[in-house]
Amino acid sequence: MTQDTFHELVRLVMDSSAHPPETLFAGGMDNWHARARLAHFLAMQGIDKQAEALELFKSVVEADVDEESAEDVEEKTYALQRLSSLEREQERDEEALRHINLAIELAESTDFLYKYILRGELWADRWNLLYHMGRTADAEAEADERIEVYKDIPALHNSYLYYGYRFKAQLAASHGDTFIAKDYMHMAIHAMDVPHENEAAIKTAFAAAHDNASWILAAIDKATPNPDRLHWDI
């Protein structure tokens, strides 16, 4: 991508409804942070410049990060995660798998508690991709392994456990095992910092008397707060 094209795309994004501050892209084409930030906006619904977003995200894969900076590590991890999700949307599964693996490796290379990235969510992205690729047994084995490793760690709000049990619940629902799916979701919710105002709606979703496990899980998800907005210990 040329400098001129980069600046044209910056102008496109700034003139869109997203209207981000120009300072986000102050580093220009030569700065991987600016390229990654522009790519996130280009991939947004309504802008829909996926090809350009992919090109910019891929240019970040080999970028060096300051391993002493949580913000630096987190920004590259997020770029890799979004690159993987775009590739999955385009059925480029092997590339998507490679990039989510890199995101996990980078996120787990430090002990930082990130502001936005959840390590458990990165693993869930990998498991859902493996499931999509027909490698369900591998995905479930990995989820079981993460649960075993983290279940006795004294961290009340644990993203590994939330996403691990949630994935197990989804597998149970796909098999029509409503009781087991609910049981796993109870364990998942237990690992989450659920605000008091969400408790009644979650309880109602769990209390559904019918046997449509997928519908029940969707209702629980709807009643559950966005994990990105909650406190996590790990």
Side-chain angles (χ1 to χ4, degrees), residues 213-225:
S214 295
W215 190 95
I216 292 171
L217 290 192
I220 294 170
D221 274 345
K222 185 177 180 181
T224 302

Side-chain angles (χ1 to χ4, degrees), residues 64-183:
D64 293 328
V65 298
D66 178 0
E67 295 180 357
E68 300 301 316
S69 168
E71 291 80 8
D72 224 39
V73 174
E74 184 170 28
E75 185 159 17
K76 182 171 178 181
T77 300
Y78 184 37
L80 290 168
Q81 182 185 28
R82 189 68 180 101
L83 170 58
S84 176
S85 70
L86 286 175
E87 289 168 333
R88 179 180 172 181
E89 290 170 10
Q90 297 186 359
E91 298 294 331
R92 296 155 69 171
D93 293 342
E94 291 296 339
E95 293 174 72
L97 184 60
R98 180 163 62 89
H99 291 130
I100 197 60
N101 289 346
L102 288 175
I104 292 169
E105 181 181 355
L106 180 58
E108 295 192 332
S109 68
T110 79
D111 293 326
F112 294 129
L113 182 61
Y114 303 115
K115 291 181 180 179
Y116 308 108
I117 291 292
L118 295 175
R119 292 172 175 88
E121 183 181 26
L122 296 174
W123 277 98
D125 285 351
R126 173 177 161 81
W127 300 331
N128 285 316
L129 179 56
L130 289 175
Y131 176 83
H132 174 72
M133 296 169 71
R135 295 173 55 185
T136 304
D138 291 339
E140 186 170 18
E142 289 181 7
D144 287 337
E145 182 182 17
R146 293 294 92 191
I147 290 169
E148 185 64 27
V149 167
Y150 287 98
K151 68 180 183 181
D152 295 324
I153 291 179
L156 185 60
H157 308 123
N158 189 319
S159 69
Y160 287 106
L161 295 183
Y162 172 73
Y163 284 100
Y165 285 127
R166 184 173 180 271
F167 181 72
K168 296 277 288 183
Q170 290 169 326
L171 288 182
S174 72
H175 298 141
D177 297 325
T178 304
F179 179 80
I180 295 174
K182 282 185 176 183
D183 195 34

